[in-house]
Amino acid sequence: MHHDPTPHLSFAPHLRPFYPGDLRGYSTTLDALVYPGELSVQHSHPRMNLEACRLVGGGIAVSFDSTPMQVRHAAGQSGHDGAGEVLAMIAVDGQGTIEQAGRRLPFRKGDIVFRTTRLPSTCALDESGRLVQLRLPAGRFFGIYADLRDHFEPSLAQADSTLAESARQQLDRLFAVQAQPHPALAYFSEQSFVSLLAAIYCEAVAGAPQAGDAGAAKRHERDRWQRLASYVEANLCDPELSVEAIARELCISKRLVHRLFATQQTQYGAYLRERRLERAAEELANERLAQLSVTEIAFRNGFNDPSHFSRAFRDRFGTTPGGYRAARPLA
């Protein structure tokens, strides 16, 4: 069981430099607020601003601004029910890495990382930043879905997922509610936030292949690419098609969209341009579309500027759209 280091936790800011003589005090406090570990600093002039509050429905929230540091939790801590507790960490600023159960999860600003106190782990902050970590009883986090608790997987939700963006927007409001005199308001506000974090965890786990299964990882990536390519193909006519729109529609991050294009040795803009031009060429040679003008063909394929379409087409095929149509027998 954890022991709260202070009887009344609050988020009153307290920023001061700390030196090796202070390290033991900060380490002891983090042991109590998160779970026991070995704190080491990675900066010649380290400093830390540590704040915390107790959650009405159970658990603790910890916020700390810090210069580069690392906390190594060499042993897990199961708690009274043996299930451990869920640690949901939001990288408000900075970047680093969390490792647990053989998984290495590099995080950047805005990412959300999930791990458990039941297993050893390491958290490293590579540059000065701010991390907010919620330590939540597994029963509260997973609710009626005990099977998720029993098969917990360390995971990361990327910053530009829709749910992660919603969580960051709620973060500051959540802690402001702690000062409210009515406990029900604080409870229901934080419970909605906890439920949102649980949904983010489920989405992150559903999108990640099992560790060590290289074949599954390749199939998973191939399936993702096929889904993405199909969506792009179906929306080539939309001049407003963007990485943001694709990520939102497919419920993946913008970073993942770019990475999937990279697996095909291309980039989003180049791929979209090529597919639009190829389909325009097919339509120019299609007898059933002979009644359509070049401008209409351009609009049908996401080009809202006929002059730009003609230049791009000539660069790609060495002739104008009209010349291309005239030189080929209609199919």
Side-chain angles (χ1 to χ4, degrees):
M1 294 289 290
H2 292 285
H3 173 68
D4 291 341
T6 57
H8 301 290
L9 296 175
S10 71
F11 264 74
H14 181 63
L15 177 64
R16 67 181 179 89
F18 77 99
Y19 304 98
D22 295 307
L23 193 58
R24 181 181 298 275
Y26 276 93
S27 182
T28 300
T29 302
L30 284 173
D31 285 352
L33 293 173
V34 185
Y35 71 126
E38 179 183 345
L39 172 66
S40 59
V41 296
Q42 317 290 324
H43 196 276
S44 57
H45 299 288
R47 69 177 188 274
M48 180 180 290
N49 172 29
L50 182 64
E51 308 164 83
C53 70
R54 185 182 293 106
L55 299 178
V56 177
I60 287 178
V62 182
S63 171
F64 53 97
D65 297 86
S66 177
T67 48
M69 60 85 185
Q70 175 178 286
V71 182
R72 180 173 176 268
H73 306 279
Q77 188 173 61
S78 295
H80 68 281
D81 60 357
E85 293 173 285
V86 175
L87 298 176
M89 189 205 74
I90 303 169
V92 179
D93 200 9
Q95 63 181 29
T97 304
I98 283 180
E99 297 183 42
Q100 186 170 69
R103 296 192 176 186
R104 187 174 185 274
L105 303 170
F107 63 83
R108 299 180 181 180
K109 178 179 179 179
D111 290 346
I112 302 177
V113 186
F114 300 91
R115 55 185 166 141
T116 174
T117 62
R118 191 161 46 88
L119 300 172
S121 67
T122 299
C123 176
L125 182 62
D126 297 334
E127 60 183 35
S128 296
R130 179 190 174 209
L131 307 177
V132 173
Q133 187 149 252
L134 276 71
R135 194 195 83 205
L136 299 160
R140 180 182 189 191
F141 187 78
F142 291 114
I144 63 174
Y145 293 98
D147 58 321
L148 295 176
R149 178 191 64 192
D150 297 337
H151 299 90
F152 182 87
E153 300 176 22
S155 58
L156 179 145
Q158 294 180 330
D160 47 7
S161 76
T162 302
L163 292 180
E165 290 177 356
S166 297
R168 292 195 305 277
Q169 291 170 3
Q170 290 190 29
L171 186 60
D172 291 335
R173 292 198 298 271
L174 171 70
F175 297 125
V177 169
Q178 301 301 322
Q180 294 290 335
H182 201 305
L185 175 59
Y187 172 78
F188 287 117
S189 296
E190 72 181 35
Q191 187 57 38
S192 67
F193 186 69
V194 170
S195 297
L196 177 58
L197 288 175
I200 294 169
Y201 167 80
C202 291
E203 182 181 68
V205 170
Q210 295 295 315
D213 189 346
K218 289 181 179 178
R219 290 191 299 273
H220 185 71
E221 189 165 86
R222 183 178 64 247
D223 291 345
R224 276 179 159 175
W225 166 252
Q226 290 174 347
R227 186 176 173 220
L228 185 155
S230 296
Y231 179 78
V232 170
E233 197 70 20
N235 291 275
L236 288 175
C237 60
D238 181 4
E240 302 300 322
L241 186 63
S242 65
V243 170
E244 290 79 4
I246 294 171
R248 183 171 57 251
E249 182 65 26
L250 300 184
C251 297
I252 59 178
S253 70
K254 292 182 288 187
R255 191 187 307 173
L256 178 56
V257 172
H258 287 298
R259 185 170 67 78
L260 289 172
F261 279 107
T263 64
Q264 307 300 310
Q265 288 75 52
T266 188
Q267 295 179 334
Y268 166 73
Y271 179 88
L272 186 64
R273 174 189 173 100
E274 180 68 12
R275 284 301 305 131
R276 282 174 167 166
L277 290 171
E278 287 178 349
R279 198 168 78 171
E282 293 170 3
E283 293 185 353
L284 287 168
N286 189 332
E287 182 179 8
R288 287 174 294 181
L289 301 178
Q291 77 282 4
L292 297 180
S293 68
V294 168
T295 296
E296 289 172 317
I297 294 289
F299 289 154
R300 282 169 58 90
N301 289 283
F303 292 94
N304 51 15
D305 182 343
S307 297
H308 172 67
F309 169 65
S310 293
R311 288 194 300 271
F313 195 94
R314 185 170 57 249
D315 290 343
R316 172 64 177 82
F317 295 102
T319 185
T320 64
Y324 184 91
R325 171 178 266 176
R328 279 165 172 72
L330 295 179

